[in-house]
Amino acid sequence: MENKSIKSWAEDDRPREKLELKGAQSLSNSELLAIIIGSGNKELSAVSLAKKILELCNNNLMELSKLNLEDLRKFKGIGTAKAINIVATLELGKRREFSEALDRKMITSSNDAYQLLKPKMQDLSKEQAWVIYLNKKNSVLTIESLSSGGITSTIVDPRLIFKRALELHSTSIVLSHNHPSGQLKPSQSDIELTKKIKTGGSSLDILLIDHLIISDRGYYSFADEGQL
């Protein structure tokens, strides 16, 4: 079956037909990816090619989201158009997750902030810093990217944070950055940055209510750990 096209399979085994007959929930990840890919190569069907791509990612969709166009084009049968389809589809999924989180605009815990930031930050290949700006009722005013750096660090300018907070009349903020390595333990520079932001905010009556470190393994909350 490895070298047979989907059209030659039994109808119930074809991903598109299976989706139409049984619904998208009935398909495996490889079958859904096969629909996005559309076709395989001379040796592999679309489903088999999809399985091969997923195996590289340990069958983890978050790992798949980290692949860029160049990574995907390394697979025989995946050209630029197919690679773009995969990246665009995964990006839509992340945006849907973010939209759902944004509907829950009140921040009452570290997990509330994490659920809001996770779609944007958990699978980044480079460090980025994001800020949630809140009003005095802890309702979200906006969520904005602050900076983007390399694999191991990013530069955060407190002046930019507070300038934007004053423009928005924000009374509190949640700072966040990701660790692409997966390590959730804060570095000494993370600790020093947190102290600097907290001190700077105090003089402007802008409260730092948390600083989250986010990775694909979860998150670390300075507030929850008593470091604020």
Side-chain angles (χ1 to χ4, degrees), residues 73-195:
R73 283 194 295 251
K74 291 177 182 178
F75 291 93
K76 185 178 179 181
I78 302 295
T80 299
K82 291 181 181 179
I84 287 173
N85 283 346
I86 295 170
V87 171
T89 300
L90 292 168
E91 178 62 22
L92 270 178
K94 286 189 280 187
R95 292 187 185 189
R96 177 194 170 185
E97 189 177 354
F98 177 71
S99 295
E100 290 174 346
L102 194 56
D103 286 338
R104 302 184 294 273
K105 288 186 176 181
M106 187 78 70
I107 301 296
T108 60
S109 67
S110 62
N111 188 59
D112 287 342
Y114 171 64
Q115 294 302 326
L116 200 55
L117 292 160
K118 181 175 70 168
K120 290 186 173 293
M121 300 186 66
Q122 68 180 354
D123 55 8
L124 295 173
S125 59
K126 295 182 179 180
E127 275 205 15
Q128 289 188 11
W130 287 71
V131 182
I132 302 176
Y133 295 93
L134 307 162
N135 64 18
K136 56 186 174 184
K137 294 182 179 179
N138 279 0
S139 294
V140 176
L141 296 171
T142 187
I143 305 164
E144 297 182 0
S145 173
L146 182 64
S147 64
S148 180
I151 295 174
T152 59
S153 65
T154 187
I155 297 172
V156 175
D157 187 342
R159 293 171 298 181
L160 296 178
I161 296 175
F162 297 127
K163 178 177 180 293
R164 185 61 173 145
L166 291 170
E167 290 172 349
L168 293 167
H169 303 289
S170 172
T171 57
S172 59
I173 59 172
V174 176
L175 177 65
S176 64
H177 75 281
N178 65 305
H179 281 179
S181 66
Q183 173 63 256
L184 288 175
K185 184 178 180 181
S187 65
Q188 186 58 40
S189 61
D190 293 336
I191 295 171
E192 291 171 0
L193 173 64
T194 305
K195 291 179 180 178

Side-chain angles (χ1 to χ4, degrees), residues 29-30 50-51 53-64:
N29 288 343
S30 57
K51 287 180 179 178
I53 295 171
L54 287 169
E55 284 171 2
L56 177 71
C57 303
N58 298 314
N59 295 306
N60 187 314
L61 294 180
M62 286 194 294
E63 291 297 318
L64 178 62

Side-chain angles (χ1 to χ4, degrees), residues 108-114 174-177 184-186 194 208-215 218-228:
T108 60
S109 67
S110 62
N111 188 59
D112 287 342
Y114 171 64
V174 176
L175 177 65
S176 64
H177 75 281
L184 288 175
K185 184 178 180 181
T194 305
L208 175 65
I209 62 174
D210 209 342
H211 180 184
L212 300 185
I213 298 173
I214 294 175
S215 80
Y219 72 97
Y220 177 96
S221 163
F222 277 75
D224 291 350
E225 298 298 326
Q227 294 205 50
L228 277 181

